[in-house]
Amino acid sequence: MDENVFDQKMPRRSFLDWLIRGGLFATLAGMLAPALAYLWPVTHRGPATGMAEIGREDEIPVGGSKKMVTGGTTLLVVRTAKEFRAFSAVCTHLGCIVFWDSQKNQIACPCHAGFFDLDGHVVAGPPPRPLQVYPVQVMDGKVFVKL
Ligand code: FES
């Protein structure tokens, strides 16, 4: 019985040819995949880059909200009868996390009674600046926020 079974099944030269061809194929595939992904129509693969998926549209009822941390940003997404609105959930006063007060139809800060409207503008309290507002896009039943 021969000790070197490998040499019997595949000569060294064939193995090296196979290895080089495989490496070339992997390199070409690695170069072509991003180019094809770039050229593929956006509507077939989702929203533009920089968009964070918040969840399904039906997860947030009309008049409701959702808080989440994505991409290092704490977001508050509010669903009105007409649209979704997204804000930084960090209060511009001293950084407390705001929440959606559906009774008052305002964004409220629990720390010092700061209130913001649905454009992020300060309505009452000590916050010195409006909340940062982020663009929202709904696509195929999913909600995305551009960070
Ligand atoms: S931290 Fe929000 S009002 Fe002070």
Side-chain angles (χ1 to χ4, degrees), residues 90-98 108-116 124-127:
V90 179
C91 180
T92 57
H93 181 219
L94 294 177
C96 290
I97 299 300
V98 299
C109 180
C111 292
H112 311 104
F115 287 92
F116 304 86

Side-chain angles (χ1 to χ4, degrees), residues 54-137:
I54 302 304
R56 288 191 338 269
E57 201 176 359
D58 56 10
E59 284 177 23
I60 308 174
V62 173
S65 67
K66 181 178 183 178
K67 249 187 269 186
M68 67 179 302
V69 177
T70 182
T73 305
T74 306
L75 293 173
L76 173 68
V77 178
V78 177
R79 184 175 189 177
T80 68
K82 289 191 274 183
E83 62 185 348
F84 288 90
R85 306 280 307 188
F87 309 89
S88 165
V90 179
C91 180
T92 57
H93 181 219
L94 294 177
C96 290
I97 299 300
V98 299
F99 67 95
W100 172 241
D101 186 336
S102 58
Q103 302 296 317
K104 293 185 175 171
N105 222 28
Q106 291 178 335
I107 298 165
C109 180
C111 292
H112 311 104
F115 287 92
F116 304 86
D117 66 15
L118 277 169
D119 290 322
H121 297 132
V122 179
V123 174
R129 294 180 310 281
L131 291 174
Q132 182 165 359
V133 179
Y134 296 97
V136 178
Q137 182 179 356

Side-chain angles (χ1 to χ4, degrees), residues 17 21 36 61 144:
D17 284 348
R21 286 189 185 134
L36 292 175
F144 296 89

